[in-house]
Amino acid sequence: MLVPMAAVGCSGGTPERPAPAPTVARVSADQVCAGLFTGDGGKGLERVLESTEFRLRNQKWNPDARAVAQVMEDAYRSGNRIREMPQAVCEVSGSEKELHVPTVTLQFTAFSLYAGDPADFPSGSDRGVRVASSPGKFMHLSYDCVSSRVGSTPEVPLRIKILLHEEWDESKGGDVLRADYMAINHSAGLAVAKELRCADDGGLPARAADLPTG
């Protein structure tokens, strides 16, 4: 009796198990997009997203500081193809709220005079460290990188623009969180400048509080 029963069991196979649900990594501020958000930058993320742990929903949007720097270098070295080159994007999501997942994205874009003079940004006279807020929950930080690693020069620097966009309706917004937006952008910008060995850290000050307020 044991043999036939064993045979029936084998022929039926094992029941199919449902595929496990994909796991979402949860990390601290200094681990998301590693190296970009240290010190005040990490604290700024915690305040903006009202979270102390962060979700990595897409590894494509979780580059570390070295990867972002490499994208910027590759774009500059492409010469007049710089506008066609990829951008780097870091997405940070906080703990779920009742209706939303609080999210901040940082987009890093490389410019240079090799790309001509686009009407919007940057103009030929657009130099130095600049901070600008846009209507809604946006903040721009831009600076010049002169680097032997990149091959950029004082005459034709690599200009890096970081666009912060906060994407959740229940946020307090830029009027309340401006200092935190600046801390986040500053931390990311300084990390990339150091990776690229930009002269004088691209002109970025050591503290976000010392950024120009324009």
Side-chain angles (χ1 to χ4, degrees):
M1 292 296 292
L2 292 177
V3 173
M5 288 178 65
V8 171
C10 291
S11 63
T14 57
E16 290 189 7
R17 297 180 181 177
T23 58
V24 178
R26 297 176 185 273
V27 298
S28 60
D30 60 349
Q31 293 174 302
V32 66
C33 297
L36 291 183
F37 309 115
T38 59
D40 290 341
K43 294 174 183 176
L45 273 182
E46 292 179 350
R47 285 189 289 265
V48 168
L49 297 179
E50 299 179 2
S51 302
T52 55
E53 65 174 16
F54 302 93
R55 306 170 66 197
L56 304 181
R57 299 194 291 177
N58 187 332
Q59 284 297 332
K60 178 182 178 182
W61 296 334
N62 184 42
D64 60 18
R66 287 184 298 177
V68 174
Q70 190 63 56
V71 171
M72 298 295 95
E73 178 181 348
D74 291 346
Y76 182 88
R77 289 185 176 278
S78 72
N80 59 13
R81 294 179 52 244
I82 191 168
R83 293 190 205 175
E84 305 167 22
M85 297 297 286
Q87 300 172 338
V89 177
C90 169
E91 179 188 82
V92 187
S93 296
S95 301
E96 300 90 336
K97 303 296 183 185
E98 183 176 353
L99 299 176
H100 302 283
V101 177
T103 301
V104 163
T105 60
L106 269 72
Q107 178 178 288
F108 300 79
T109 307
F111 293 90
S112 84
L113 294 180
Y114 290 134
D117 186 5
D120 52 355
F121 182 92
S123 70
S125 60
D126 186 14
R127 293 291 185 97
V129 177
R130 294 199 176 185
V131 176
S133 300
S134 299
K137 301 166 186 175
F138 297 88
M139 179 173 281
H140 306 263
L141 170 65
S142 51
Y143 62 96
D144 296 321
C145 176
V146 176
S147 165
S148 58
R149 165 183 162 170
V150 175
S152 53
T153 65
E155 294 73 29
V156 186
L158 161 61
R159 186 151 182 83
I160 296 174
K161 173 185 174 183
I162 306 173
L163 171 62
L164 179 152
H165 180 201
E166 190 186 1
E167 304 177 50
W168 65 295
D169 295 341
E170 299 165 28
S171 164
K172 298 172 184 175
D175 291 342
V176 174
L177 298 171
R178 177 178 173 81
D180 292 316
Y181 285 8
M182 290 178 69
I184 294 168
N185 263 353
H186 173 264
S187 177
L190 191 59
V192 173
K194 288 185 179 298
E195 283 289 339
L196 291 173
R197 301 193 294 275
C198 304
D200 191 30
D201 291 333
L204 293 170
R207 304 187 311 152
D210 295 328
L211 285 169
T213 56

